[in-house]
Amino acid sequence: MTLTTAQILDLAPDAASRKAGQAQSKPASWLGLGRAGTVIWGEIKGSGASPYRTVADLAGPASKCTCPSRKFPCKHALGLMLVDAAAAIAEAEPPDWAAAWMKGRESRAAAAETRAQAPVKPVDEKAQAKRQQAREDRVAAALDEVDLWLRDLMRRGLSALRSEPYAFWDRMAGRLVDGQVPGLARRVRALPGLIAAAPQPGASRPEAALGLGLGRLALLVRAARRLDALAPEQAAGVRAALGYSVTAEEMAIRPGQTDDWAVLAHAIEEEDRLTARSVWLVGRASGALAQVLDYGSAGSPLPPAPAAGQDFRGALAFLPGDPPLRAVFREGRSGPAAEAVLPGAASVAAARDAFAEVLARAPWTERWPVRLKGVRLGRLAAAAGGTTDHKAGHRPAFAAGDAGGCLALRADPRLPSLLAVAAGRPVDLFGLYDGAGLSPLALVSEGRLYAMPAQGAQPVLLQVA
């Protein structure tokens, strides 16, 4: 098994690591290269007295390096995988240090399976109930406070909010964090950015975006007060939006959905001091969409995940919620993609209807994945919202459309690459839609899958399958 160059670069934690990894991809820089199945290894001279020992499992993908870097994967691991992508490394007997890493991975996997099968330890139900009640009381107080705050904002009017400093919003977000509803806090912290944003193609006007953000916040607060009247899965979705986490015990009893899951794209965003990575998948047989969301930090790197363009053959367990989307990996293994297709892709009209159905079930939803089949990408006419007034600083607006309508594309420095790959031909498109514009993440054209880089604004598109 060998990953493509695009898939490897998509694993880089940042643009600097991507560039540094490419600099380490010269075979002449490596010593003792070898492989055993999907595991490759090698040594490379660094700043220390001894060469760094690097080993990677392409099936994870996972890696380890003796360099002091706290990034994962480090530039040496990226370089080693890029060497293999250029010309497959030959089979060899693993050295002791590589064999020890391989054995350790097998032992940890076996230990994890043993823990999963071990009987659950008894829970102190009285203490647990006391903790839960304490949190419910804090959450109820936070809901009262944000409800009063929203009413005050409406009395003042939206125009008065433009002059408020960031501290005005941050104070309320801080109180919501103290009230143990971090999901509401995140939405409040996003509001000043909506006010300050310049008009962009494929995005709501700042005033409309602010009103929509406040409206979603108010709807979520209303729903949180009526959990007893909601269906269990819908109530779980509300609790997830508030910021409640799902326990390991709850996930253990969730059923797994087995399929060949096509990995469409990765997306990485920085949230405070955390790195959030979304892995977007679609079931080849079921057509179900899934988002596997992981968080990492400087001291706790992101866990391994299949690369964009691979298939994950195994089971996903979906978190409680209606409609279902968030999931976690269960047992399975990643490997080469069966074919570059977008299962479940449909027309623009069907995508709009699907988004409307999601809003009917969870009206606080900010954006939702959509799949478009056989659309063409092009510039919107001025009458439809496009503009060519470059002197005024406006950007031309683009859209993806078919005979039934079109969806505006959000401004992005990688749009020219997207348009160049499509070249006026019908393509299948995957992205996130917020009701105003579509943020493309992947495109299928002429039997090839192209993905947006996981992070950064470099104006390129990666062919991953």
Side-chain angles (χ1 to χ4, degrees):
M1 173 185 177
T2 297
L3 298 177
T4 67
T5 298
Q7 290 171 334
I8 295 164
L9 294 178
D10 199 40
L11 300 173
D14 51 44
S17 297
R18 188 179 298 113
K19 183 177 180 180
Q22 290 173 305
Q24 306 294 318
S25 64
K26 301 177 178 64
S29 302
W30 290 86
L31 301 172
L33 289 169
R35 79 181 302 137
T38 61
V39 178
I40 56 176
W41 60 83
E43 298 182 79
I44 188 169
K45 178 64 178 174
S47 56
S50 302
Y52 297 134
R53 293 173 169 178
T54 309
V55 58
D57 186 349
L58 302 176
S63 62
K64 183 181 180 181
C65 184
T66 57
C67 74
S69 174
R70 302 184 70 178
K71 295 181 179 180
F72 183 84
C74 69
K75 63 182 182 181
H76 305 107
L78 291 169
L80 176 64
M81 289 187 281
L82 288 170
V83 169
D84 182 68
I89 296 173
E91 291 279 340
E93 187 68 25
D96 293 344
W97 53 271
W101 183 78
M102 295 163 64
K103 185 176 181 181
R105 277 177 59 80
E106 293 174 359
S107 299
R108 287 190 293 273
E113 185 175 352
T114 301
R115 287 195 300 270
Q117 296 175 353
V120 179
K121 295 181 179 179
V123 177
D124 186 340
E125 295 183 358
K126 184 178 293 187
Q128 185 183 59
K130 185 176 180 180
R131 289 193 299 270
Q132 290 176 346
Q133 187 58 51
R135 178 170 189 180
E136 295 299 337
D137 292 342
R138 284 192 290 271
V139 169
L143 293 175
D144 288 340
E145 185 168 8
V146 73
D147 189 43
L148 179 61
W149 182 73
L150 288 169
R151 292 175 186 272
D152 288 340
L153 295 187
M154 291 301 99
R155 279 194 290 270
R156 293 174 56 194
L158 295 183
S159 61
L161 302 180
R162 298 186 66 88
S163 59
E164 292 290 357
Y166 179 77
F168 168 79
W169 310 92
D170 193 51
R171 279 193 299 271
M172 172 51 66
R175 290 199 289 270
L176 294 175
V177 170
D178 293 340
Q180 295 190 280
V181 281
L184 293 183
R186 179 191 62 78
R187 290 171 183 260
V188 170
R189 285 201 173 102
L191 294 174
L194 300 177
I195 300 173
Q200 295 283 348
S204 300
R205 292 179 295 104
E207 296 83 358
L210 175 62
L212 187 58
L214 290 171
R216 287 170 173 159
L217 185 62
L219 286 169
L220 183 53
V221 172
R222 296 293 187 276
R225 295 181 180 279
R226 302 180 62 250
L227 289 178
D228 293 341
L230 302 178
E233 289 293 306
Q234 195 172 22
V238 174
R239 291 171 68 85
L242 293 177
Y244 282 83
S245 58
V246 182
T247 66
E249 291 77 12
E250 290 175 300
M251 285 306 301
I253 61 175
R254 300 287 294 180
Q257 184 169 336
T258 302
D259 206 333
D260 285 351
W261 298 92
V263 184
L264 300 177
H266 285 197
I268 293 180
E269 298 176 343
E270 299 298 328
E271 297 182 5
D272 296 328
R273 287 171 290 183
L274 296 176
T275 299
R277 180 192 63 200
S278 292
V279 180
W280 293 99
L281 309 98
V282 59
R284 292 190 180 276
S286 64
L289 284 165
Q291 177 195 21
V292 177
L293 181 60
D294 290 305
Y295 291 93
S297 64
S300 178
L302 288 164
Q310 288 188 312
D311 276 5
F312 176 76
R313 297 176 176 87
L316 299 181
F318 283 83
L319 277 67
D322 182 38
L325 182 64
R326 285 278 308 279
V328 297
F329 291 112
R330 283 266 177 88
E331 65 282 353
R333 191 171 182 83
S334 56
E339 57 179 333
V341 297
L342 186 54
S347 66
V348 169
R352 282 205 177 102
D353 290 343
F355 184 66
E357 182 182 350
V358 169
L359 292 182
R361 295 157 68 179
W364 46 86
T365 300
E366 296 172 300
R367 55 184 185 175
W368 193 257
V370 298
R371 293 159 288 178
L372 303 177
K373 182 177 180 60
V375 294
R376 296 181 187 270
L377 310 184
R379 180 175 295 184
L380 281 171
T387 177
T388 56
D389 188 3
H390 298 288
K391 294 182 179 179
H394 295 161
R395 299 180 183 178
F398 296 91
D402 57 18
C406 65
L407 299 181
L409 299 178
R410 292 184 69 89
D412 191 291
R414 295 163 292 193
L415 273 185
S417 297
L418 197 77
L419 294 165
V421 169
R425 298 184 296 266
V427 297
D428 295 347
L429 192 63
F430 170 76
L432 303 180
Y433 184 58
D434 64 0
L438 177 68
S439 298
L441 291 177
L443 172 147
V444 176
S445 176
E446 297 189 320
R448 297 182 178 89
L449 173 64
Y450 299 84
M452 293 285 195
Q455 62 180 0
Q458 63 272 29
V460 297
L461 204 61
L462 305 175
Q463 181 183 334
V464 294

